[in-house]
Amino acid sequence: MIWNIPIGLTWMRIALIPLFTILFYLPKHWIEPQTINIAAAAIFAIAGITDWLDGFLARHWKQTSDFGAFLDPVADKLMVAVALILLVKLDRTLAIYAMIIIGREITISALREWMAQMGKRNSVAVAYVGKLKTAAQMAAIFLLLLDTLPSSTINLHDIGNLLMFIASILTIWSMFYYLKMAWKEFQ
């Protein structure tokens, strides 16, 4: 296994997942709920920033590797899945959104693995609709983790769920786009 800063950042993202999760299971009298929300949103934001940073550094320093290409999306999918499950448990978003997003991630990850085994991974490379989906999804999760801010008139809960709805639509759209691209390889 290759060790470098980009892979270290990816491992750090994975290590943040238990810390992120534990926040919501601490005894209620230890930390104020709003502090938990802010800390969880901050951890999620750090994970998002390091996701961008590890890819940038790997390309910039020419430290890309097959292991890094495998581990990076795993770290992303784990953090998003855990965040979505927690948000559903906290009754901050609908379970259908989590099912759509997690189901799509599993489906497309499996499709990419299958296409890679056939030597056709580029036929399901990340497309613009996938990037839009990710942006909406990350913004939605961040806002739903914050949930409310003291003395704020902005309804983060409603905005987060609107973005989650948009992310779910984009998730379905991107899944069909990738399936269509893969289908062309079989004809």
Side-chain angles (χ1 to χ4, degrees):
M1 177 181 335
I2 299 169
W3 283 95
N4 56 38
I5 291 173
I7 287 178
L9 288 170
T10 302
W11 278 115
M12 183 187 83
R13 255 188 356 265
I14 293 171
L16 286 174
I17 295 170
L19 175 63
F20 173 80
T21 305
I22 287 169
L23 283 172
F24 294 100
Y25 290 93
L26 293 173
K28 301 293 181 209
H29 63 278
W30 283 14
I31 302 176
E32 291 292 320
Q34 189 58 45
T35 304
I36 292 171
N37 291 345
I38 292 169
I43 290 170
F44 189 80
I46 290 167
I49 291 165
T50 59
D51 177 31
W52 171 84
L53 185 61
D54 69 24
F56 172 79
L57 292 177
R59 288 184 297 277
H60 183 71
W61 292 340
K62 296 180 180 27
Q63 293 181 342
T64 58
S65 67
D66 290 340
F67 181 70
F70 157 76
L71 191 63
D72 182 69
V74 170
D76 300 342
K77 305 310 185 242
L78 285 172
M79 179 59 93
V80 167
V82 167
L84 287 170
I85 291 167
L86 284 169
L87 288 170
V88 169
K89 179 190 177 298
L90 295 167
D91 200 28
R92 294 186 190 175
T93 197
L94 300 175
I96 189 71
Y97 297 151
M99 290 186 283
I100 288 169
I101 292 169
I102 294 169
R104 180 261 189 210
E105 296 303 338
I106 292 168
T107 302
I108 299 307
S109 292
L111 177 66
R112 285 190 173 128
E113 178 63 27
W114 186 32
M115 297 303 285
Q117 287 178 358
M118 295 175 21
K120 299 183 180 195
R121 183 171 175 86
N122 287 340
S123 64
V124 286
V126 176
Y128 186 70
V129 67
K131 292 181 183 202
L132 286 176
K133 180 261 324 170
T134 299
Q137 172 184 290
M138 299 306 248
I141 291 171
F142 179 78
L143 292 176
L144 291 168
L145 287 168
L146 279 177
D147 195 41
T148 57
L149 290 176
S151 70
S152 175
T153 58
I154 300 171
N155 189 330
L156 299 179
H157 182 85
D158 288 349
I159 296 169
N161 273 299
L162 174 62
L163 285 171
M164 192 62 76
F165 173 76
I166 292 167
S168 295
I169 298 299
L170 291 171
T171 294
I172 293 167
W173 182 6
S174 69
M175 182 177 74
F176 283 115
Y177 172 83
Y178 292 125
L179 290 170
K180 180 182 170 187
M181 293 297 103
W183 182 255
K184 289 179 183 177
E185 296 295 333
F186 298 118
Q187 295 180 343

